[in-house]
């Protein structure tokens, strides 16, 4: 098919419409294309009036097209926009955000403010597959659109120390005393601080192996920044039944102290933390700066990234998190309350008690907050809500519900926490007149 790409859509593809032949007018989605380009594409799947296609060649290229920085771009499933210059990436994401919100019925939106940082080497965490290829141990990701292993030789969106850690692990595999551990590892995760001064590692295996301490000490000789490591089993021994990873060994520190905006946060090994090491400070300031009052709620609080900053200007901060082990240990003292509960459970109780905070901050997972949380927040009628979202589709759904309950959208920020990919972070400020 010859196609003229009309626009980029959420998910990384370009949208065109079939201009001739059977099925004229059907929507066609082509990855690795840019708005305005004339391309040749080949259909790979057709269903419900939609065609998914693969790019064959670019006939008329956009002026925004650039050479990808990574040798694996296109094969690897991790990045989607390396073929576009960074300014174009930001414009694409901003337009997708605005269109997604408008499609949900949200009108009179404020101007989208764009916040960006360094577009390379930003990730503080990566998780790699480990497998033998032609008898040689390699690390890698999955091939795009499949579960096939893709061995890699670089990852330019990762902090340099993370790739250096992967190389050290492979170097260790060549020594006989570490071979028995390396032979059993199927995946490995590395997590580092903003300044790359400390590193945590988690290895995943399907079998128990002795000598984990000696293995980690050997790795630390090659990688002095390594301060702690753990081993988790992906499957039950003697069974093919998948289970949640189970910790079977630990060495060194159990986590990292991560500095953000003048505060230090303890992040346990494997715990969630914002992935962009260059923009976390800006994100915290965007959410918390200039806000004050008697009571603030931080829902889906995680390790308390926003809670700690809010305490400087609120009399009481309540941090709510279902998996609250780290939060309970670190967020305590006068005016600080950590609650181990889901957001729905907490809000149900708060509505009964008729509590009304000046500020509600919420940073939910990709699924968003959902209908019941929106309904409960409608009853709470907080003076201000700051909604941090990593998915514009679920954000649009939730914002429409909150607006219907009387909230008004006051500020709209697109924060590019995931350069080179279609993912984006959004910060929305709402008030309740």
């Amino acid at each position: 098919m010859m196609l003229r790409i009309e626009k980029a859509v959420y998910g990384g593809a370009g949208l065109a419409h079939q201009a001739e032949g059977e099925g004229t007018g059907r929507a066609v989605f082509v990855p690795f294309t840019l708005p305005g380009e004339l391309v040749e594409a080949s259909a790979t799947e057709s269903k419900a009036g939609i065609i998914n296609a693969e790019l064959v060649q670019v006939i008329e290229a956009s002026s925004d097209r650039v050479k990808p920085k990574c040798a694996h771009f296109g094969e690897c499933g991790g990045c989607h926009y390396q073929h576009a210059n960074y300014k174009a990436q930001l414009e694409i994401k901003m337009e997708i955000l605005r269109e997604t919100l408008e499609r949900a019925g949200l009108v009179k939106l404020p101007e989208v403010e764009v916040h960006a940082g360094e577009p390379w080497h930003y990730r503080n965490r990566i998780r790699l597959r480990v497998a033998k290829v032609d008898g040689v141990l390699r690390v890698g990701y999955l091939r795009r659109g499949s579960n096939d292993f893709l061995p890699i030789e670089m990852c330019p969106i990762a902090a340099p120390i993370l790739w250096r850690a992967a190389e050290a692990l492979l170097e260790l595999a060549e020594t006989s005393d570490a071979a028995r551990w390396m032979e059993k590892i199927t995946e490995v995760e590395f997590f580092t601080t903003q300044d790359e001064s400390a590193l945590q590692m988690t290895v995943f295996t399907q079998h128990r192996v002795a000598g984990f301490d000696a293995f980690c000490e050997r790795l630390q000789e090659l990688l002095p920044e390594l301060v702690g490591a753990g081993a988790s089993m992906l499957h039950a021994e003697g069974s093919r039944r998948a289970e949640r990873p189970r910790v079977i060994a630990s060495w060194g520190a159990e986590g990292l102290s991560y500095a953000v905006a003048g505060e230090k946060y303890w992040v346990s090994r494997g715990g969630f933390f914002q992935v962009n090491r260059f923009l976390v400070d800006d994100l915290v300031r965007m959410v918390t700066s200039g806000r004050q009052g008697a009571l603030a709620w931080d829902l889906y609080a995680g390790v308390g990234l926003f809670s700690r900053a809010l305490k400087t200007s609120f009399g009481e901060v309540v941090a709510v998190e279902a998996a609250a082990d780290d939060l309970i240990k670190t967020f305590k003292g006068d005016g600080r309350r950590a609650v181990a509960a889901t957001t729905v459970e907490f809000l149900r109780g708060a509505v009964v008690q008729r509590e009304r905070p000046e500020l509600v901050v919420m940073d939910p997972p990709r699924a968003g907050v959902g209908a019941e949380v929106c309904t409960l927040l409608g009853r709470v009628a907080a003076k201000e809500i700051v909604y941090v979202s990593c998915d514009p589709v679920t954000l649009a759904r939730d914002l429409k519900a909150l607006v219907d309950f009387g909230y008004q959208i006051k500020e709209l920020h697109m924060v590019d926490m995931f350069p080179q990919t279609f993912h984006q972070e959004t910060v929305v400020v709402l008030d309740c007149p």
Side-chain angles (χ1 to χ4, degrees):
M1 294 178 287
M2 299 287 287
L3 301 166
R4 179 71 70 177
I5 303 301
E6 300 161 21
K7 63 180 180 180
V9 295
Y10 188 63
L15 169 68
H17 285 85
Q18 189 173 347
E20 56 186 21
E22 185 180 347
T24 297
R26 285 194 297 178
V28 186
F29 296 95
V30 190
F32 312 123
T33 57
L34 295 173
E37 291 187 326
L38 180 65
V39 303
E40 182 183 353
S42 176
T44 58
E45 182 183 37
S46 178
K47 58 181 181 180
I50 292 174
I51 300 173
N52 290 316
E54 286 292 318
L55 177 65
V56 176
Q57 64 174 324
V58 178
I59 298 168
E60 294 178 11
S62 165
S63 59
D64 293 322
R65 180 172 285 274
V66 296
K67 182 180 179 180
K69 193 169 183 175
C70 181
H72 308 293
F73 180 66
E75 285 187 287
C76 174
C79 290
H80 316 92
Y81 287 150
Q82 285 194 29
H83 60 294
N85 67 52
Y86 192 46
K87 181 175 180 290
Q89 291 185 34
L90 296 175
E91 290 172 351
I92 285 170
K93 292 183 179 184
M94 183 175 65
E95 288 302 316
I96 287 173
L97 173 61
R98 177 170 289 280
E99 182 178 326
T100 303
L101 297 180
E102 290 176 347
R103 194 183 303 121
L106 296 163
V107 295
K108 296 181 180 179
L109 293 169
E111 286 298 313
V112 179
E113 296 183 44
V114 177
H115 306 262
E118 169 58 46
W120 301 101
H121 304 300
Y122 63 87
R123 288 192 65 93
N124 57 26
R125 187 192 305 267
I126 59 172
R127 183 161 171 168
L128 298 159
R129 299 289 179 106
V130 182
K132 275 192 173 182
V133 179
D134 297 327
V136 179
L137 205 63
R138 302 285 300 275
V139 296
Y141 296 122
L142 294 179
R143 291 188 184 276
R144 183 172 64 91
S146 78
N147 288 318
D148 296 337
F149 177 69
L150 173 69
I152 63 170
E153 297 178 354
M154 61 170 64
C155 184
I157 64 172
I161 193 177
L162 301 181
W163 183 247
R164 185 155 56 84
E167 291 180 319
L169 198 65
L170 294 178
E171 183 180 341
L172 197 63
E174 298 176 3
T175 63
S176 58
D177 56 340
R180 60 180 179 177
W181 258 103
M182 291 303 303
E183 293 284 338
K184 302 301 181 184
I185 294 174
T186 57
E187 296 180 52
V188 60
E189 180 176 275
F190 296 110
F191 175 57
T192 188
T193 52
Q194 189 276 342
D195 60 0
E196 303 180 87
S197 62
L199 182 77
Q200 277 283 345
M201 176 182 74
T202 304
V203 298
F204 298 88
T205 178
Q206 295 178 349
H207 305 279
R208 287 187 177 274
V209 186
F212 188 65
D213 287 2
F215 169 71
C216 293
E217 287 162 7
R218 288 283 289 111
L219 182 59
Q220 192 182 46
E221 293 174 7
L222 301 174
L223 197 65
E225 296 89 347
L226 184 68
V227 297
S232 293
M233 188 173 292
L234 287 175
H235 296 80
E237 288 181 310
S239 170
R240 293 186 178 182
R241 182 172 58 88
E243 290 185 342
R244 293 176 62 86
R246 179 163 51 93
V247 176
I248 57 174
S250 182
W251 171 85
E254 296 288 338
L256 292 177
S257 179
Y258 203 110
V260 178
E263 294 279 353
K264 288 188 176 180
Y265 300 84
W266 180 255
V267 185
S268 290
R269 188 184 306 123
F272 171 79
F273 200 76
Q274 292 287 349
V275 75
N276 190 311
R277 63 195 182 103
F278 300 131
L279 281 178
V280 179
D281 290 54
D282 290 345
L283 181 66
V284 171
R285 283 191 285 266
M286 201 180 308
V287 171
T288 64
S289 182
R291 297 183 167 88
Q292 59 184 357
L295 176 62
W297 293 345
D298 182 11
L299 311 179
Y300 312 91
V303 297
L305 182 62
F306 304 121
S307 306
R308 299 274 291 272
L310 289 170
K311 187 59 192 74
T312 62
S313 55
F314 281 84
E316 182 182 11
V317 176
V318 180
V320 181
E321 171 59 44
D325 291 350
D326 284 349
L327 189 66
I328 289 172
K329 293 174 186 175
T330 59
F331 193 69
K332 51 189 177 183
D334 185 42
R336 303 181 181 196
R337 182 157 65 98
V339 177
T342 66
T343 290
V344 168
E345 291 168 344
F346 171 78
L347 288 176
R348 287 171 182 165
V351 166
V352 172
Q353 298 298 321
R354 297 186 178 181
E355 297 181 39
R356 189 186 185 215
E358 282 91 346
L359 174 68
V360 173
V361 172
M362 47 191 189
D363 184 9
R366 197 169 300 280
V369 302
E372 185 174 2
V373 168
C374 290
T375 299
L376 292 168
L377 288 171
R379 294 176 64 183
V380 169
K383 292 181 181 178
E384 189 174 49
I385 293 177
V386 180
Y387 190 148
V388 183
S389 168
C390 60
D391 188 301
V393 177
T394 57
L395 171 67
R397 176 203 66 200
D398 293 340
L399 288 181
K400 182 61 169 65
L402 291 169
V403 166
D404 288 345
F405 280 116
Y407 288 94
Q408 296 179 353
I409 298 175
K410 187 167 61 174
E411 296 176 29
L412 188 55
H413 303 263
M414 197 287 286
V415 190
D416 195 27
M417 301 290 281
F418 314 96
Q420 318 306 328
T421 81
F422 71 79
H423 302 290
Q424 58 179 268
E425 197 93 352
T426 310
V427 177
V428 185
V429 181
L430 306 99
D431 60 16
C432 188

